[in-house]
């Protein structure tokens, strides 16, 4: 391998590794946060409101006297939980729909594609706000709403990846043996689009994290006093000039997680040779 080829490969591996490390560290901090600081994330103290950084409060306190560092460390829990659940459901549902559409072809494929296009035409935030307004803002309502919003996009990409597999010789041989559609999809098609599914999971997770935090910022996600990055930004933005770390800390934490997920997804896609844009357009 030439030096020119090795250098870009090394850069890709390094970027993907940095992204994966950022994600792992964020998850570990969110899980271990109750043991990392001596303060409660929800207990208020009016006498200690809007303090700057001190030896006792490294990132200061918010307008309710709550320790900003503690709330920031625990703030990723809600977003990570919703992101994992919603991404898992969206990718699972989208994968099944996309594989069925690719295998069915003909009028059924056309009908599924038109339904997916109709759902994708609605802006994600608008659709989520409508669903949450009608059904409430409970955890499972948000999870299912996010899943419905993102499953069609996953289905489009998986359909594009599955179409060449459907026309392969081993699928034709399975059909000739008289195997039914579902066994063929499960044994022949899905294992051959697993690389695309894994990349979709990593990529969609970053978008879901941003979307969940946006909902919390708008007041439709986590309820006060839950430590959540989007909610922290919304609560502390009015005191930005007095105690800026209450707003800056969750913004930086959210950016690190999203950038980490994107770098990891990009590295995974390049490692597996997945061209998402080409497959989505197929």
């Amino acid at each position: 391998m030439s030096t020119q080829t090795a250098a870009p490969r090394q850069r890709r591996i390094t970027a993907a590794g940095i992204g994966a490390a950022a994600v792992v560290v964020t998850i570990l901090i969110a899980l271990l946060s109750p043991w990392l600081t001596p303060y409660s994330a929800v207990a208020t103290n009016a006498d200690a409101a809007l303090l700057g950084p001190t030896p006792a409060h490294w990132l200061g306190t918010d307008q309710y006297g709550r320790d900003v560092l503690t709330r920031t460390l625990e703030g990723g829990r809600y977003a990570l939980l919703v992101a994992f659940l919603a991404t898992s459901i969206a990718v699972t549902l989208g994968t099944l729909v996309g594989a069925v559409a690719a295998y069915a072809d003909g009028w059924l494929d056309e009908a599924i594609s038109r339904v997916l296009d109709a759902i994708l035409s609605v802006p994600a935030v608008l659709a989520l706000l409508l669903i949450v307004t009608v059904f409430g803002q409970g955890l499972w309502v948000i999870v299912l709403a996010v899943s419905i919003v993102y499953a069609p996009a996953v289905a489009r990409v998986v359909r594009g990846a599955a179409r060449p597999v459907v026309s392969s010789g081993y699928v034709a041989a399975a059909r000739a043996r008289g195997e039914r559609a579902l066994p063929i999809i499960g044994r022949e098609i899905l294992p051959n689009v697993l690389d695309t599914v894994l990349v979709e999971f990593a990529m969609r997770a970053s978008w879901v994290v941003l979307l969940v935090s946006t909902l919390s910022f708008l007041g439709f996600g986590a309820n006060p006093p839950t430590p959540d990055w989007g909610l922290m930004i919304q609560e502390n933005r009015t005191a930005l000039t007095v105690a800026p770390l209450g707003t800056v800390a969750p913004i930086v934490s959210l950016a690190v997680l999203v950038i980490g997920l994107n770098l990891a997804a990009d590295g995974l896609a390049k490692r597996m040779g997945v061209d998402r844009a080409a497959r989505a357009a197929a």
Side-chain angles (χ1 to χ4, degrees):
M1 181 182 293
S2 64
T3 305
Q4 290 82 358
T5 304
R9 178 178 174 80
Q10 185 62 39
R11 286 197 294 270
R12 289 200 299 269
I13 294 175
T14 301
I18 292 174
V23 174
V24 171
V25 169
T26 301
I27 294 174
L28 288 177
I29 288 176
L31 294 175
L32 300 176
S33 56
W35 296 277
L36 297 179
T37 65
Y39 302 103
S40 168
V42 298
T44 60
N45 183 0
D47 295 331
L50 297 176
L51 294 178
T54 65
H57 302 281
W58 290 4
L59 297 182
T61 60
D62 63 11
Q63 57 187 323
Y64 301 106
R66 300 173 298 198
D67 184 65
V68 171
L69 177 59
T70 301
R71 289 183 62 78
T72 302
L73 293 180
E74 295 193 22
R77 283 186 174 187
Y78 182 84
L80 287 170
L81 176 61
V82 175
F84 176 77
L85 294 174
T87 305
S88 298
I89 296 174
V91 171
T92 300
L93 181 60
T95 298
L96 294 176
V97 172
V100 169
Y103 180 83
D105 206 6
W107 68 269
L108 182 56
D109 179 27
E110 186 69 19
I112 293 175
S113 297
R114 298 293 74 80
V115 172
L116 296 179
D117 290 342
I119 298 176
L120 289 171
S121 67
V122 181
V125 175
L126 180 60
L128 282 175
L129 289 178
L130 179 62
I131 294 173
V132 171
T133 300
V134 174
F135 296 102
Q137 57 191 82
L139 173 65
W140 284 106
V141 172
I142 295 176
V143 167
L144 294 176
V146 173
S147 302
I148 293 172
V149 168
Y150 279 124
V154 176
R156 287 290 300 271
V157 174
V158 172
R159 172 184 173 273
R163 286 179 68 86
V165 180
V166 171
S167 60
S168 64
Y170 47 84
V171 172
R175 282 173 166 170
R177 291 193 301 267
E179 294 188 20
R180 295 182 179 274
L182 290 181
I184 293 176
I185 292 173
R187 288 199 298 262
E188 307 293 348
I189 297 177
L190 292 182
N192 287 285
V193 296
L194 182 60
D195 55 350
T196 300
V197 173
L198 293 176
V199 173
E200 279 298 298
F201 187 94
M203 187 64 69
R204 298 294 166 186
S206 67
W207 298 349
V208 171
V209 168
L210 273 178
L211 193 57
V212 171
S213 296
T214 300
L215 283 178
S216 294
F217 178 80
L218 295 174
F220 292 91
N223 292 315
T226 303
D228 174 78
W229 291 333
L231 183 60
M232 287 179 65
I233 297 170
Q234 192 277 334
E235 289 178 337
N236 297 312
R237 62 190 176 90
T238 56
L240 183 60
T241 57
V242 180
L245 290 178
T247 304
V248 173
I251 290 176
V252 171
S253 300
L254 181 61
V256 168
L257 177 58
V258 172
I259 292 173
L261 285 168
N262 276 288
L263 288 176
D266 186 59
L268 184 63
K270 291 177 179 177
R271 177 69 65 88
M272 293 184 168
V274 175
D275 187 347
R276 297 177 65 256
R279 292 185 172 184

